[in-house]
Amino acid sequence: MSGRATASELLDVMKDPAKLKEFGYSESQELPEGFNNEEFHLDLPYEDIKAFVANQKEVILSKVPEEERKQLVWEHIGSTSIKGMPGTKFPDALLIIPEFPPSEAVVKALLDSDFYFSRTSPLDAEDLWFVLNINDGFLKYHKMTIHVCLESNTAGRILKDTRDMCNTEKWAFEDYKNSKIEAAKAKSFIGYKMAKGSGSKLLTMLREKHSMKEMNIPKNFDGRV
């Protein structure tokens, strides 16, 4: 499948576990010379990113029929949802759906909001990653990822628990913060992604709590979407 797929084409993939596991699509961004959109920031603009994510929620959910919209839950997750947490300027959100795969209306709303379907999460094959290339504003040249999954999804639960514990328990915040700062020394983006997970006592605890299975990492996956 070359280029952006339609909602109908994507649903055909999502209904087939083998096809879904192998699916991978990305759109590169033309960056200014010397600009690193994967830069690790010790001080992220929390309030501005929070507002950006809230705006995306309104844009996307406004495109879903009202009755179906009532069944959806939106959550701001990831490092940008934790005030004071360092990281990259790549916002994440969680869109919880009532059944898997998502409806055609939900997929179409994401595509019509300029998101593309990239792949499934290495943590859980039913965590669907929809990605937006941000082309203006203070996050220009960065990407936003929406994780579309069931409430029972392992990856989604770990993401929510990480946010909630870091926002309420000092030890969890400091553990995750220190693991990310150490991981930022990695020589590659996938190295950073892997190191921040393996070096955190919090994430180790949450993986055990939610009985996370072995990660499914494609051979050529570099952590980018």
Side-chain angles (χ1 to χ4, degrees):
M1 191 178 294
S2 61
R4 288 199 182 192
T6 65
S8 178
E9 290 171 333
L10 289 176
L11 283 170
D12 286 341
V13 172
M14 294 170 186
K15 291 174 182 177
D16 186 327
K19 288 182 180 178
L20 184 58
K21 183 178 179 181
E22 297 301 320
F23 187 92
Y25 174 75
S26 181
E27 293 184 1
S28 60
Q29 295 167 295
E30 291 189 18
L31 305 178
E33 185 176 354
F35 185 85
N36 176 19
N37 66 347
E38 297 170 357
E39 179 181 355
F40 185 82
H41 299 268
L42 291 175
D43 186 18
L44 288 170
Y46 171 78
E47 295 295 343
D48 291 340
I49 294 178
K50 180 180 177 181
F52 178 88
V53 172
N55 182 65
Q56 292 303 315
K57 172 186 176 181
E58 296 304 317
V59 169
I60 294 165
L61 296 189
S62 70
K63 301 180 188 298
V64 179
E66 184 176 359
E67 284 305 308
E68 187 169 352
R69 192 187 316 149
K70 294 176 183 178
Q71 303 177 62
L72 304 175
V73 177
W74 176 282
E75 305 246 10
H76 182 190
I77 54 167
S79 295
T80 62
S81 69
I82 305 166
K83 192 169 186 178
M85 184 63 66
T88 58
K89 289 184 179 180
F90 292 148
D92 289 89
L94 188 66
L95 182 59
I96 300 174
I97 51 177
E99 57 184 15
F100 189 91
S103 70
E104 185 166 358
V106 167
V107 175
K108 191 172 186 301
L110 289 159
L111 298 181
D112 289 348
S113 301
D114 212 24
F115 283 75
Y116 61 86
F117 177 56
S118 177
R119 64 186 325 111
T120 64
S121 167
L123 299 180
D124 194 309
E126 292 189 354
D127 171 10
L128 308 175
W129 290 358
F130 283 82
V131 179
L132 173 70
N133 279 341
I134 304 171
N135 297 316
D136 53 29
F138 73 102
L139 291 176
K140 186 175 182 179
Y141 303 125
H142 294 85
K143 294 180 182 244
M144 175 179 177
T145 300
I146 297 178
H147 302 247
V148 179
C149 61
L150 298 172
E151 191 279 330
S152 59
N153 183 269
T154 299
R157 288 188 168 188
I158 290 174
L159 287 164
K160 286 197 297 179
D161 282 358
T162 300
R163 176 202 62 195
D164 293 345
M165 291 188 69
C166 285
N167 279 330
T168 58
E169 300 189 33
K170 185 175 180 180
W171 79 264
F173 178 91
E174 293 298 330
D175 170 80
Y176 191 42
K177 175 183 176 181
N178 291 335
S179 73
K180 285 169 66 69
I181 291 174
E182 187 63 27
K185 298 174 184 177
K187 296 180 180 180
S188 66
F189 195 58
I190 187 65
Y192 162 69
K193 291 281 190 179
M194 295 296 292
K196 72 175 182 177
S198 62
S200 168
K201 293 179 182 178
L202 170 65
L203 293 187
T204 298
M205 182 189 78
L206 292 177
R207 285 193 293 267
E208 292 175 354
K209 173 185 175 182
H210 294 291
S211 303
M212 193 192 86
K213 300 176 182 178
E214 185 177 347
M215 289 195 293
N216 170 41
I217 303 178
K219 289 182 180 179
N220 298 320
F221 183 50
D222 62 2
R224 297 182 176 90
V225 290

